[in-house]
Structures are given as C-alpha cells and as structure tokens.
Amino acid sequence: MTLWNGSYPFYPGANACFPFDTSRAVIVTVFLSMMVMFIIILPGIRGRGRIFWFLRLVLGLFVGAVVLTVQFTRDWETGWVQANTSYKSFSPVQVNADIGLHIGLAGVNITLRGNPVNQINETINYNEHFPWNFGADYDRSYSEGLDKGLPSPILYVAEKFSTQSPCAVHRQYRVASHYASLSLWLAFCTWLISILLFSMSTLLYGGHMLLLTAALIHFSLLFFFSARNSLKCPIQFGPVSLRTDYGESFWLTLATGLLCLLLGLAIIILNSVQPEKLKLIFSLDKSSEEEVRDKSCLPAEPSCSAQDMLMVSLGELCQVTATHL
C-alpha cells in the first residue's frame, strides 16, 4: 500500500481516451448510400451500357470519397515503437508499452498501449489528439494534457511538435498540412465539375477536369512531402527511437491521383483517336443523337419538303391571281 492509496497526488486518475472520430464513417456511409441508390436503378439500363455505367459510377464515387475522406484521416504519417519507459512524471515506475505517432492534416495523434494493457493497477490505453488546423491551438491542447496528467510518453512526443520545441517542426507541418488540405478541397471541387461535364456529354472538358483533379491531388502530396522530409529531432525512448513513415492515407491519395491521371489521359486520347468508342463507353450512341437532333429541329424550322410545298402553293396562287386579272 502506497501513499494516497496507490495513486499519485498530481494525477487524479483520469484515463482519458480520445473519442472515436466519426468523420470517416459518415463520409463512407454517404457515398455507399449513393452507390446503393444508383445500383437499384441499374437494371433499367439496357445492353452493354449497363456495365460501362456501373464502372463509371464506382470510379467516380471512389475518387470523390477518397479525396474527401483523407482530409480527416490521421495516418498520413505513422510510426510505432515498443519500449520500457516511465509512466508518470516524478515516479520511478516503468511500464512496457507500444507508443504510436500518427500525423494527419489536422493534427497529431499519439497512442500509448501497455503490454499487457493492465499494469500497475491501471489500464494503459490512451489515444490523444493534438490539433493544429484552423481555429485550433496546439500549445493550448498540450497545456490541457499537462493539466490532465497524461502519461509521460504522450507528453514527451507531443512536446516535439509544439511551437516552443527546439525541433522547430510545428510550423513546417502546420503550413504544409494547410496547403495540402486546400489542394484536396480544390481537387474535390474539380471532381464535382468533371462529373457535371460528363453528365452534360462534354467528354473532352470532363477529361481536362480529371487531369486538373490529378494535378491538385499530387500537389497536396508534394506539400506534405516537403514537411515529411524536413529535419526532425529524434524521439528516443531509451535505446530505441520512434521512426515514422508514410501511412495508408498518403499511399491511397497517391493511387487516387494516378487513377485520375490515367482516366483523364485515356478520355482525351480516345476523344482524338477513336471518338466512337468513347461515346460507346459513355452510352452516347450516334443514332440516338441524330434522333434527338432531328426532334429538336422540327419545331424550330420547317423541313425541306414543307418549304417546297409552301413555294408551290405560293406560285400557284400568283398564277391564279394573274389569270383573274
């Protein structure tokens, strides 16, 4: 039995776990609902157009969902290390734990999970978020973590990204993340414009918009790459160090950008080389276009046969008038 019944006076036992981020779940649910809604009407499409329409639907929704989701993910850069480290300040007690660092466009997530989870009469399972997006104050979040008495490994890692840290990486990551997020929002807008252009059957301009979407996605990767390859302070836990590498969101964004690039180039090349195949892919048959064009011309101007009949009637009327005179 220790003083204060086994707990430390400066840490009143607040084992705060960061709540589950529902942004990704909401976005995925919305896009899956849209896909299900469109799949319901899929049997009403005839012939080979059904397959091409389904492929366009899946690719379009995939690109939009990825560009929107990676804005809120926290695994653009990740790293894990297992170490024996002190658990609380002013205490010699050490625990064996997995320490994870997850960097996203909106801030840093730091994970501490014990091996085993239950040690020193506590459940060691933390996941704390320190934001640096617009309207957020990283240093204030760090100070709140100090007031709550978060474990020393979390505070040690979080301190590396504070504005007062000698590492000086806070500004680089914050500015790079802001520009990367802005590029992705612009890419989402150009994706919406490309969908609108494809629905209006302006395929060439839709392909150009896909190329612009790919360029903006790659610009976001370039911005984050500039911060990722800046000089960093080592995050050391005894003999081992916490090293990070590109995470799932980074590689998923790269794959989506390459997909938009390939689709945009394919549409532009097919439009110049084999436009008929491109129209077949987008279910634009030549016969249907001619029918629509003929129907649209009927009320606007009379046909050639109608004009001939009108001219003949006028000629006969003139001859009859001259005879009577």
Side-chain angles (χ1 to χ4, degrees), residues 86-133:
S86 62
Y87 182 57
K88 297 286 188 180
S89 300
F90 311 109
S91 171
V93 177
Q94 290 197 343
V95 296
N96 184 273
D98 292 326
I99 306 164
L101 174 60
H102 316 278
I103 302 175
L105 300 183
V108 174
N109 257 58
I110 303 172
T111 304
L112 179 67
R113 188 180 302 122
N115 288 318
V117 176
N118 296 314
Q119 295 184 50
I120 59 171
N121 297 326
E122 286 194 31
T123 301
I124 304 175
N125 189 9
Y126 290 83
N127 184 18
E128 294 292 329
H129 180 64
F130 300 90
W132 57 41
N133 54 342

Side-chain angles (χ1 to χ4, degrees), residues 105-182:
L105 300 183
V108 174
N109 257 58
I110 303 172
T111 304
L112 179 67
R113 188 180 302 122
N115 288 318
V117 176
N118 296 314
Q119 295 184 50
I120 59 171
N121 297 326
E122 286 194 31
T123 301
I124 304 175
N125 189 9
Y126 290 83
N127 184 18
E128 294 292 329
H129 180 64
F130 300 90
W132 57 41
N133 54 342
F134 287 113
D137 189 348
Y138 186 92
D139 291 338
R140 182 179 178 181
S141 300
Y142 176 71
S143 299
E144 291 176 354
L146 286 172
D147 295 337
K148 289 192 298 184
L150 294 178
S152 296
I154 294 180
L155 296 175
Y156 169 69
V157 177
E159 186 183 7
K160 296 291 184 179
F161 294 89
S162 65
T163 57
Q164 306 299 326
S165 174
C167 297
V169 296
H170 174 83
R171 186 175 183 275
Q172 297 174 2
Y173 268 98
R174 190 170 187 266
V175 173
S177 298
H178 286 174
Y179 279 107
S181 178
L182 178 61

Side-chain angles (χ1 to χ4, degrees), residues 6-304:
S7 62
Y8 299 99
F10 301 105
Y11 309 103
N15 189 14
C17 252
F18 189 79
F20 177 73
D21 183 19
T22 59
S23 300
R24 185 187 305 185
V26 169
I27 295 172
V28 172
T29 302
V30 169
F31 277 87
L32 284 179
S33 301
M34 294 174 61
M35 180 177 291
V36 170
M37 180 181 65
F38 285 113
I39 289 178
I40 291 175
I41 66 174
L42 186 63
I45 302 175
R46 300 177 180 177
R48 290 180 298 176
R50 180 184 304 174
I51 300 176
F52 293 129
W53 190 86
F54 180 74
L55 289 177
R56 296 198 309 270
L57 172 67
V58 172
L59 292 176
L61 291 180
F62 172 78
V63 172
V66 170
V67 172
L68 190 59
T69 303
V70 293
Q71 293 270 8
F72 308 100
T73 55
R74 298 167 183 174
D75 53 355
W76 279 69
E77 184 180 349
T78 60
W80 284 91
V81 67
Q82 184 177 357
N84 292 316
T85 179
S86 62
Y87 182 57
K88 297 286 188 180
S89 300
F90 311 109
S91 171
V93 177
Q94 290 197 343
V95 296
N96 184 273
D98 292 326
I99 306 164
L101 174 60
H102 316 278
I103 302 175
L105 300 183
V108 174
N109 257 58
I110 303 172
T111 304
L112 179 67
R113 188 180 302 122
N115 288 318
V117 176
N118 296 314
Q119 295 184 50
I120 59 171
N121 297 326
E122 286 194 31
T123 301
I124 304 175
N125 189 9
Y126 290 83
N127 184 18
E128 294 292 329
H129 180 64
F130 300 90
W132 57 41
N133 54 342
F134 287 113
D137 189 348
Y138 186 92
D139 291 338
R140 182 179 178 181
S141 300
Y142 176 71
S143 299
E144 291 176 354
L146 286 172
D147 295 337
K148 289 192 298 184
L150 294 178
S152 296
I154 294 180
L155 296 175
Y156 169 69
V157 177
E159 186 183 7
K160 296 291 184 179
F161 294 89
S162 65
T163 57
Q164 306 299 326
S165 174
C167 297
V169 296
H170 174 83
R171 186 175 183 275
Q172 297 174 2
Y173 268 98
R174 190 170 187 266
V175 173
S177 298
H178 286 174
Y179 279 107
S181 178
L182 178 61
S183 297
L184 287 174
W185 280 119
L186 291 176
F188 184 74
C189 294
T190 55
W191 169 79
L192 288 176
I193 296 174
S194 68
I195 295 297
L196 179 62
L197 291 174
F198 287 139
S199 64
M200 297 171 60
S201 302
T202 52
L203 306 182
L204 181 60
Y205 295 110
H208 290 160
M209 276 297 162
L210 275 182
L211 289 182
L212 182 57
T213 303
L216 290 171
I217 291 175
H218 286 99
F219 273 127
S220 68
L221 297 173
L222 183 62
F223 287 133
F224 192 82
F225 174 82
S226 63
R228 167 69 175 79
N229 285 272
S230 59
L231 295 177
K232 296 185 180 67
C233 290
I235 304 175
Q236 200 76 23
F237 292 95
V240 295
S241 59
L242 176 59
R243 302 182 184 276
T244 58
D245 203 351
Y246 294 116
E248 296 178 1
S249 293
F250 183 89
W251 297 116
L252 183 60
T253 306
L254 177 61
T256 306
L258 293 177
L259 177 63
C260 291
L261 179 64
L262 293 176
L263 290 176
L265 289 176
I267 290 173
I268 293 174
I269 293 174
L270 282 177
N271 185 77
S272 60
V273 177
Q274 292 182 338
E276 298 301 327
K277 287 188 177 181
L278 183 61
K279 291 179 180 179
L280 178 63
I281 294 175
F282 283 87
S283 303
L284 299 176
D285 296 332
K286 186 176 180 181
S287 59
S288 61
E289 287 184 351
E290 291 179 353
E291 291 178 1
V292 172
R293 190 179 305 170
D294 293 338
K295 290 180 181 179
S296 62
C297 292
L298 280 177
E301 52 180 307
S303 63
C304 296

